[in-house]
């Protein structure tokens, strides 16, 4: 089931992002803060709906999370959101990541007026890159040595999806 998170989900979310094989693929630091995640969820529940967070639940446990995040305060970029996504390794390859991503895309393009979605993905994460391509994302750039992971700087791909709502030059 795909749904918005609640504060009751914080323990599951922390358990997920605390796993080295999960945070190694994210831009988050090890040892996440419970207070930070609790605050993120509370803020999204009461704040303006310019951002969106969704969780995937299986057997009453959060097994993945995805979010749409503003890219800045400039009204000239109000049509752009950044995507973040993770699924627990033992639940990958079951369509959960795709369901989360498709729910974000639907919300962004059909309900929020977002016409450009961007993301960064570790260049060696072939499964994630394949998922993003299946969902209409294209590589727009290579960021060499962009992320520090386990003491090594690794490359990331900059990918984006543009909807047909607006013509661009």
């Amino acid at each position: 089931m795909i749904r918005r998170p609640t504060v009751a989900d914080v323990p599951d979310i922390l358990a997920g992002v605390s796993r080295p094989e999960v945070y190694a693929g994210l831009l988050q630091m090890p040892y996440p803060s419970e207070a930070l995640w609790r605050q993120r969820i509370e803020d999204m529940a009461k704040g303006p709906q310019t951002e969106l967070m969704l969780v995937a639940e299986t057997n009453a446990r959060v097994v993945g999370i995805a979010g749409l995040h503003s890219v800045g305060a400039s009204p000239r970029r109000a049509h752009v959101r950044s995507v973040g996504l993770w699924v627990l390794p033992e639940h990958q390859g079951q369509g959960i990541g795709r369901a989360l991503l498709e729910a974000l895309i639907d919300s962004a393009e059909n309900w929020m007026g977002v016409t450009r979605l961007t993301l960064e993905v570790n260049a060696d994460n072939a499964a994630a890159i394949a998922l993003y391509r299946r969902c209409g994302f294209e590589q727009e750039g290579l960021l060499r040595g962009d992320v520090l992971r386990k003491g090594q700087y690794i490359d990331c791909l900059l990918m984006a999806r543009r909807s047909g709502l607006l013509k661009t030059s």
Side-chain angles (χ1 to χ4, degrees), residues 112-123:
M112 298 170 73
V114 173
T115 60
R116 179 175 168 79
L117 296 172
T118 65
L119 60 87
E120 291 181 23
V121 59
N122 294 345

Side-chain angles (χ1 to χ4, degrees), residues 3 5-13 38 41 62:
R3 61 172 176 77
T6 67
V7 173
D9 295 319
V10 170
D12 285 349
I13 293 169
R38 183 176 301 277
I41 292 169
V62 171

Side-chain angles (χ1 to χ4, degrees), residues 5-18 22 26 28-29 31-44 53-55 62 64-67 69 84-86:
T6 67
V7 173
D9 295 319
V10 170
D12 285 349
I13 293 169
L14 279 176
V17 296
S18 294
V22 173
L26 306 174
Q28 302 198 23
M29 295 295 291
Y31 314 110
S33 161
E34 179 178 346
L36 174 77
W37 276 99
R38 183 176 301 277
Q39 190 65 50
R40 280 183 185 169
I41 292 169
E42 289 172 350
D43 289 349
M44 283 202 183
M53 188 183 302
L54 298 172
V55 295
V62 171
I65 190 167
H69 309 285
L85 172 71
W86 62 260

Side-chain angles (χ1 to χ4, degrees), residues 20-27 92 119-133 139 141-150 152-159:
E21 67 270 34
V22 173
Y23 66 71
L26 306 174
L27 293 178
Q92 292 175 5
L119 60 87
E120 291 181 23
V121 59
N122 294 345
D124 60 359
N125 191 341
I129 293 166
L131 168 64
Y132 299 139
R133 285 192 173 127
Q139 181 178 334
L142 173 65
L143 306 170
R144 296 199 181 275
D146 190 56
V147 174
L148 181 64
R149 180 180 68 193
K150 297 181 182 179
Q152 299 289 316
Y153 288 99
I154 62 166
D155 297 345
C156 285
L157 302 183
L158 177 60
M159 299 182 79

